[in-house]
Amino acid sequence: MKAKLNWNGGMAFSGETESGHHVLLDAGEENGGANKGPRPTEVLLNAAAVCTGMDIVMILEKMRLTIDGFHIEIDGTRAENHPRRFTEITITYHIDGELPEDKVVRAIKLSRDTYCTVVNSLNASIHYDYVLNGDAPKTIS
């Protein structure tokens, strides 16, 4: 997989992905940027959430289950010292529908342990919570 990025001055870089999509990344003004785009770490967190979300949708569909609604919250904690890597990431899934809890848990575990390239590329302890039908959050162990 390849990407091509060009420096746009300051801290901004524009890139083109292998699939032909364009991205603009920048730093905040406090770090020499102009806030023209998301930070690389923000994109990384979003990529982790989307990667596992796509897996879960695919797995639940293969189980012939219907998702009525789905949103993901992701929260990353970074080290205070450089390189300020993520030390912990919590992913909370809010999945609506007539979904057996054991099947949802199975889908999350399959994503976490087998399928999600982004999550498995991170060196962080990732905490998974899920919410079904407005119930209290439950933790995946």
Side-chain angles (χ1 to χ4, degrees):
M1 183 173 292
K2 297 178 183 182
K4 180 180 178 183
L5 293 113
N6 292 305
W7 180 54
N8 296 352
M11 293 293 165
F13 284 82
S14 58
E16 183 176 345
T17 66
E18 191 171 67
S19 58
H21 297 280
H22 296 273
V23 296
L24 174 65
L25 300 154
D26 198 2
E29 293 173 1
E30 69 280 3
N31 291 311
N35 196 29
K36 293 180 182 176
R39 316 303 177 255
T41 48
E42 292 173 330
V43 173
L44 181 63
L45 275 185
N46 277 272
V50 169
C51 181
T52 186
M54 288 177 171
D55 289 341
I56 291 165
V57 167
M58 177 192 63
I59 293 164
L60 292 176
E61 285 179 350
K62 284 186 178 181
M63 293 178 182
R64 301 185 192 280
L65 297 171
T66 301
I67 299 169
D68 294 333
F70 187 9
H71 74 271
I72 301 167
E73 297 173 25
I74 188 162
D75 181 30
T77 302
R78 295 176 61 194
E80 291 193 24
N81 297 320
H82 288 287
R84 301 211 52 227
R85 70 178 190 85
F86 286 105
T87 57
E88 184 174 326
I89 295 172
T90 298
I91 302 175
T92 302
Y93 303 97
H94 299 271
I95 309 172
D96 300 321
E98 296 295 322
L99 303 166
E101 186 172 338
D102 63 323
K103 304 267 186 186
V104 173
V105 170
R106 174 88 174 126
I108 294 170
K109 285 183 177 181
L110 281 168
S111 177
R112 176 191 69 188
D113 299 337
T114 305
Y115 295 113
C116 184
T117 302
V118 177
V119 167
N120 283 288
S121 296
L122 294 171
N123 183 20
S125 171
I126 299 177
H127 177 89
Y128 291 80
D129 287 336
Y130 66 97
V131 176
L132 293 177
N133 301 322
D135 291 342
K138 297 180 183 174
T139 299
I140 299 290
S141 55

